[in-house]
Amino acid sequence: MKRSFTAPFWVLLVFGLLQLLSISSLLHTFFGSELSSGGRPSVPVVVVLRIFMWPLIFFLEALAYWLIRRRNTYRALSWTHCVIFILAFLLSIFFAYIQRMQYRYSSAAETRVSRQIMMHEQVYFFWGLVILAHLAFVAVLANCRRKAPPEGAEGGQGQGQENLLDDVVL
């Protein structure tokens, strides 16, 4: 019996929960400050969906890793996906912090131009890492869906004795 590989499931699930908690905390702070000022806050549904999109993606990918846990023998690709995907978010937060610290000590004219440049670089870097991580994820899924070679075919023997109905599922 194969041992299941559930580490990516747990890593993505925990990071998705951390994202969900931080977003909920920020929304609670926002709504609390708006309600105390007497105005009723209005947040469009599209904004709420975009806010909760990333935790949902983390949960769906964790679910995918749970479903392929027994067939996933591509641990390096799984770890590559998890690490790069989480690193995209952590580096984005780190760059925003660096950007904020930089603007404290620069003039207003320098701030406006460099903020636009750094924001574009940060967005490109984030999406580049997300795309790279998901290329690894697609590779993991494709490799897990691939049919295992027959056990009797060692060293090229038995190549011509392939059954034509191997791909047919009854």
Side-chain angles (χ1 to χ4, degrees), residues 21-115:
L21 288 173
S22 65
I23 289 170
S24 298
S25 172
L26 288 172
L27 286 177
H28 179 69
T29 303
F30 172 73
F31 285 126
S33 65
E34 288 292 319
L35 290 176
S36 64
S37 67
R40 184 165 190 187
S42 61
V43 178
V45 175
V46 174
V47 173
V48 172
L49 289 176
R50 289 186 71 194
I51 288 173
F52 288 106
M53 176 183 73
W54 289 111
L56 179 66
I57 289 173
F58 272 95
F59 292 141
L60 290 176
E61 289 180 5
L63 178 66
Y65 274 117
W66 182 259
L67 294 174
I68 63 169
R69 69 187 180 275
R70 299 223 186 266
R71 292 177 300 211
N72 190 1
T73 57
Y74 306 94
R75 294 179 180 205
L77 273 176
S78 298
W79 281 118
T80 301
H81 166 247
C82 290
V83 167
I84 292 175
F85 195 35
I86 291 172
L87 196 64
F89 286 93
L90 295 179
L91 286 177
S92 180
I93 293 168
F94 177 71
F95 288 150
Y97 176 74
I98 295 289
Q99 186 179 14
R100 214 174 320 132
M101 294 302 288
Q102 177 186 3
Y103 296 140
R104 286 186 179 176
Y105 302 111
S106 60
S107 68
E110 292 174 346
T111 302
R112 197 181 91 220
V113 173
S114 63
R115 179 177 289 170

